[in-house]
Amino acid sequence: MTRIGLAGVPAVLLGGRVSSRVAVATVLLLSMGCRAGPSPVDGSYDVYILGVPAATLEVDGDTYRIRKKDLAANRWGDWVSASVETVAVDDRFRLWGAVADLPARLQSLARIDWTSLESVGWPDAATIWLRYEGGEGAGSSRAWGAESGPIRWYVKDGTLPMDLVVGRDNRLLAAFDVRGDVVVVRPGEEDVTTVERWRDDNISQPRFGYRLHEKTMVQGSDGLGLATLVYLPDGEGAGGPFPTILVRTPYGISRLIEGFWHYAARGYAVVL
């Protein structure tokens, strides 16, 4: 007998078929056992892209607040607010990568008891989440699956993979885009994500914005000009000379900075 939650409603699978009588009984028992209190998703979350702070999200019942950083200017924007009914259609609350729609889905996530299930269908029955079984998780200093440790969930066969980390009290601790390294995490829980490793003393920390210094044609040995963009760290204390990241590609370079800006934020010149 395997327990599985679909869209936040636990059911029991018997012989591969759902027993509706047991499922209804389970829902009734859950309803009877509900107690008033803070939602598992209430609280504050920091959002990081490749270890660089990019946004802060606050959830307080039916009220959502967010502020985002202009990464090029290294400057925080103003707080904006929305109700739980409108956050799903408010683009100001969209994040990045696989976690883009997370703010709009937090309420449905909160209705699931992630601590007691083996598999979960969320946000629909076609998206199946499984518990991560194993030792230390990638980017984390905590062991997964320990009796008192956090529980990590991953999407089975996900094309845009996102993982969740849930505490033993069913609170959402973190969610992250595995491929793009976009992390949403409660302050103080960074050690269940890659953020802790980005903070290593041996890694340059993000202190700057960035700016396009110049576009030029660099002459190659065959006399042909190679289109070149030079980005430099920008902001207080961003004086050169800078160590330099050189990226060469046979394709276009106009949007290439989108994958390399975080080097400039850490004090490197980026030459594309």
Side-chain angles (χ1 to χ4, degrees), residues 1 23 58 70 92 99 127 129 138 140 150 154 169 171 191 194 208 214 222 249:
M1 182 170 68
E58 293 183 351
D70 181 331
R92 299 175 299 176
V99 300
T127 307
W129 294 74
S140 173
Y154 67 96
D169 56 359
R171 286 196 319 150
D191 63 340
T194 56
F208 308 109
E214 62 179 350
D222 57 1
T249 175

Side-chain angles (χ1 to χ4, degrees), residues 16-211:
R17 294 182 297 175
V18 176
S19 169
S20 59
R21 181 176 301 175
V22 175
V24 171
T26 303
V27 173
L28 288 175
L29 287 172
L30 287 173
S31 300
M32 292 170 61
C34 289
R35 294 182 296 176
S39 165
V41 297
D42 278 4
S44 178
Y45 302 87
D46 293 325
V47 184
Y48 296 85
I49 304 175
L50 294 162
V52 180
T56 301
L57 173 69
E58 293 183 351
V59 181
D60 184 7
D62 293 342
T63 303
Y64 286 67
R65 298 174 70 230
I66 196 171
R67 64 171 181 167
K68 294 181 177 179
K69 181 189 282 187
D70 181 331
L71 297 171
N74 194 32
R75 183 171 55 243
W76 287 99
D78 296 331
W79 286 96
V80 296
S81 300
S83 67
V84 66
E85 292 82 12
T86 61
V87 69
V89 295
D90 192 332
D91 286 342
R92 299 175 299 176
F93 285 82
R94 281 188 61 82
L95 302 178
W96 300 270
V99 300
D101 295 324
L102 182 66
R105 293 173 173 171
L106 285 175
Q107 295 304 318
S108 63
L109 184 150
R111 291 192 287 269
I112 301 171
D113 183 0
W114 295 88
T115 62
S116 65
L117 299 171
E118 300 296 331
S119 304
V120 174
W122 176 82
D124 51 56
T127 307
I128 303 301
W129 294 74
L130 302 173
R131 284 180 183 241
Y132 174 86
E133 301 293 345
E136 181 179 315
S140 173
S141 62
R142 294 196 216 176
W144 307 110
E147 185 174 339
S148 59
I151 306 167
R152 181 172 174 177
W153 292 82
Y154 67 96
V155 178
K156 181 181 180 181
D157 301 326
T159 56
L160 191 59
M162 178 175 72
D163 285 11
L164 300 174
V165 182
V166 180
R168 291 292 170 170
D169 56 359
N170 205 45
R171 286 196 319 150
L172 176 66
L173 303 183
F176 42 96
D177 179 325
V178 178
R179 185 168 58 188
D181 198 4
V182 184
V183 174
V184 182
V185 60
R186 290 183 185 269
E189 303 290 349
E190 291 84 0
D191 63 340
V192 299
T193 73
T194 56
V195 173
E196 181 182 62
R197 296 194 175 184
W198 279 114
R199 292 176 173 178
D200 189 288
D201 291 339
N202 295 313
I203 297 177
S204 300
Q205 295 306 300
R207 300 188 293 122
F208 308 109
Y210 61 93
R211 61 183 173 88

